[in-house]
């Protein structure tokens, strides 16, 4: 393992820069040359490779986003695109690849591994936390803290105006951000794609709160919920239950930015280091993770196939604590 290529892919996540720093510094420590690929698979296909050294990653551990940029790549879904990428990697004498990304990234890596002989290691970098084989993905903790900071502000105005707020959070088709942030902000209800949403049940919950003279409330809606996003849910509730004046806030892409939390910085440093060691030890075509504080590795196909389940006890907790 003499030369490693590193890239970030999919939606950016706080902690990606800390992870890039860890990979580069670990490579240098082990006398391995490291190049960065710009814009994920797009840059791999276009041959946008840059040399990285210790100085390249100075003063980035605290920065959100990714210095290597990122992109989603339709071209990598084609065999011609992957072939072009492979030719570029060979031209640069790359012996191993480290990809920081989400399920789309590892889906591509898994297909590439079946066609070509350059080994991959994946690092789970997505705020969605929807990858099996790690308790937390890079960026998830920071995104949770961003959500609770925003919702705490919304709660101030909700209680001042006796309003019911429906707040939409990211997560694609997963409810991990919604569930933990809902508990952390003391939401009246949390709606997630993993469980069917019944508007009548939600209304019963809100009516119970009203009977306990709750004058305002917060409902967290995961963007992928089956009842629709926050605007759709608010409309459906309002049609049958109009006791509260309601408003909607879609938090959107602010959940993707910001300086990574301590938890994300340490996780990024651990996973970046472990990824390089895996390539050195030729334990490859795996996603590195941290489970119960132990470094683990999971085959790509297992990591991405929606195997990660929601903790039912956390859903029950929302109901119990919001009486
Ligand atoms: O996968 C991360 C994520 O932020 C999802 O939660 C969200 O649905 C999606 O990316 C948004 O994608 P884009 O940044 O391309 O709009």
């Amino acid at each position: 393992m003499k030369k490693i290529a590193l890239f970030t892919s999919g939606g950016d996540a706080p902690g990606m820069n800390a992870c890039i720093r860890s990979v580069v510094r670990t490579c240098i420590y082990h006398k391995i040359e490291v190049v960065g690929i710009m814009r994920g698979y797009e840059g791999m296909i276009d041959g946008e490779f840059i040399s990285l050294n210790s100085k390249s990653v100075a003063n980035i551990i605290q920065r959100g986003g990714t210095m290597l940029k990122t992109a989603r790549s339709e071209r990598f879904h084609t065999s011609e695109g992957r072939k072009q990428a492979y030719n570029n990697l060979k031209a640069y004498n790359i012996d191993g690849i480290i990809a920081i990304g989400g399920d789309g990234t590892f889906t591509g890596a898994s297909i590439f591994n079946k066609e070509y002989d350059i080994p991959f290691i994946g690092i789970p970098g997505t705020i969605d936390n929807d990858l099996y084989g790690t308790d937390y993905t890079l960026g998830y903790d920071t995104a949770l803290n961003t959500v609770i900071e925003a919702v705490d502000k919304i709660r101030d105005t909700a209680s001042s105006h006796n309003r019911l707020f429906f707040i939409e959070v990211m997560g694609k088709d997963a409810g991990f951000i919604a569930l933990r942030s809902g508990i952390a902000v003391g939401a009246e209800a949390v709606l997630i794609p993993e469980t069917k949403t019944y508007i009548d049940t939600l209304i019963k919950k809100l009516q119970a709160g009203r009977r306990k003279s709750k004058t305002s409330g917060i409902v967290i809606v995961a963007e992928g919920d089956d009842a629709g996003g926050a605007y759709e849910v608010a409309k459906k509730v309002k049609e049958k239950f109009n006791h509260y004046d309601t408003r909607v806030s879609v938090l959107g892409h602010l959940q993707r930015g910001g300086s990574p939390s301590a938890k994300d910085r340490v996780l990024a440093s651990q996973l970046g280091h472990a990824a390089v060691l895996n390539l050195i030890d030729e334990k490859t075509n795996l996603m590195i993770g941290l489970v119960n504080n132990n470094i683990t590795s999971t085959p790509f196909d297992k990591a991405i196939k929606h195997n990660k389940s929601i903790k039912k006890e956390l859903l029950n907790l929302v109901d119990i604590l919001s009486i």
Side-chain angles (χ1 to χ4, degrees), residues 19-318:
C19 194
I20 290 165
R21 172 181 176 273
S22 175
V23 169
V24 171
R25 296 268 167 101
T26 305
C27 283
I28 291 165
Y29 180 85
H30 289 280
K31 300 187 178 21
I32 296 171
E33 196 181 343
V34 54
V35 297
I37 303 176
M38 300 305 291
R39 298 183 307 114
Y41 290 121
E42 285 292 278
M44 193 187 283
I45 294 169
D46 294 338
E48 261 185 271
F49 290 39
I50 61 167
S51 175
L52 294 172
N53 58 35
S54 192
K55 202 163 177 312
S56 315
V57 293
N59 198 26
I60 66 167
I61 194 168
Q62 76 282 9
R63 286 172 47 199
T66 162
M67 65 172 277
L68 296 178
K69 309 277 185 193
T70 182
R72 294 187 167 92
S73 174
E74 288 309 314
R75 288 190 292 168
F76 201 76
H77 292 299
T78 67
S79 54
E80 300 75 19
R82 292 191 296 272
K83 176 72 180 148
Q84 181 59 44
Y86 177 71
N87 292 340
N88 289 334
L89 292 164
K90 293 308 275 183
Y92 275 84
N93 302 311
I94 301 298
D95 302 311
I97 305 167
I98 292 177
I100 306 170
D103 59 14
T105 307
F106 302 150
T107 303
S110 178
I111 296 166
F112 186 87
N113 285 327
K114 293 181 176 72
E115 295 170 341
Y116 299 106
D117 59 352
I118 304 179
F120 257 83
I121 285 290
I123 296 175
T126 170
I127 64 168
D128 298 345
N129 200 39
D130 58 350
L131 291 166
Y132 179 86
T134 189
D135 292 340
Y136 272 44
T137 55
L138 286 186
Y140 177 54
D141 183 62
T142 304
L144 286 176
N145 287 306
T146 299
V147 169
I148 66 173
E149 197 182 329
V151 177
D152 287 352
K153 288 183 168 71
I154 292 171
R155 189 179 279 283
D156 290 343
T157 182
S159 52
S160 302
H161 283 265
N162 289 353
R163 282 173 169 165
L164 175 63
F165 267 81
F166 294 83
I167 301 172
E168 183 175 305
V169 298
M170 281 186 161
K172 211 158 46 196
D173 52 4
F176 295 98
I177 295 176
L179 183 50
R180 271 194 156 85
S181 62
I183 291 171
V185 300
E188 273 54 53
V190 175
L191 308 182
I192 59 174
E194 291 82 356
T195 54
K196 179 146 183 55
T197 293
Y198 296 96
I199 295 296
D200 292 343
T201 307
L202 174 59
I203 289 172
K204 281 200 185 76
K205 176 100 193 145
L206 297 171
Q207 284 169 333
R210 179 191 161 197
R211 282 195 294 277
K212 294 188 185 74
S213 65
K214 279 190 178 186
T215 56
S216 63
I218 300 283
V219 175
I220 299 289
V221 185
E223 63 177 335
D225 188 66
D226 66 290
Y231 280 102
E232 293 88 328
V233 171
K235 183 169 172 291
K236 288 172 183 172
V237 168
K238 194 88 183 152
E239 283 162 3
K240 297 182 173 180
F241 175 64
N242 61 5
H243 168 73
Y244 293 102
D245 186 15
T246 60
R247 289 295 186 276
V248 175
S249 267
V250 177
L251 299 187
H253 284 70
L254 66 85
Q255 296 162 90
R256 287 258 288 274
S259 180
S261 64
K263 184 179 178 105
D264 270 327
R265 296 183 197 193
V266 175
L267 180 62
S269 301
Q270 288 177 285
L271 296 184
H273 172 253
V276 175
L277 296 191
N278 263 53
L279 281 178
I280 293 170
D281 298 342
E282 296 181 7
K283 294 178 202 150
T284 60
N285 301 335
L286 299 161
M287 184 196 82
I288 298 286
L290 196 68
V291 176
N292 297 329
N293 271 326
N294 295 310
I295 293 283
T296 59
S297 44
T298 306
F300 287 133
D301 291 346
K302 187 147 194 273
I304 55 182
K305 284 274 181 304
H306 282 282
N307 293 320
K308 187 171 201 170
S309 53
I310 281 282
K311 290 193 184 312
K312 289 278 181 285
E313 62 270 25
L314 291 182
L315 265 180
N316 298 336
L317 197 54
V318 174

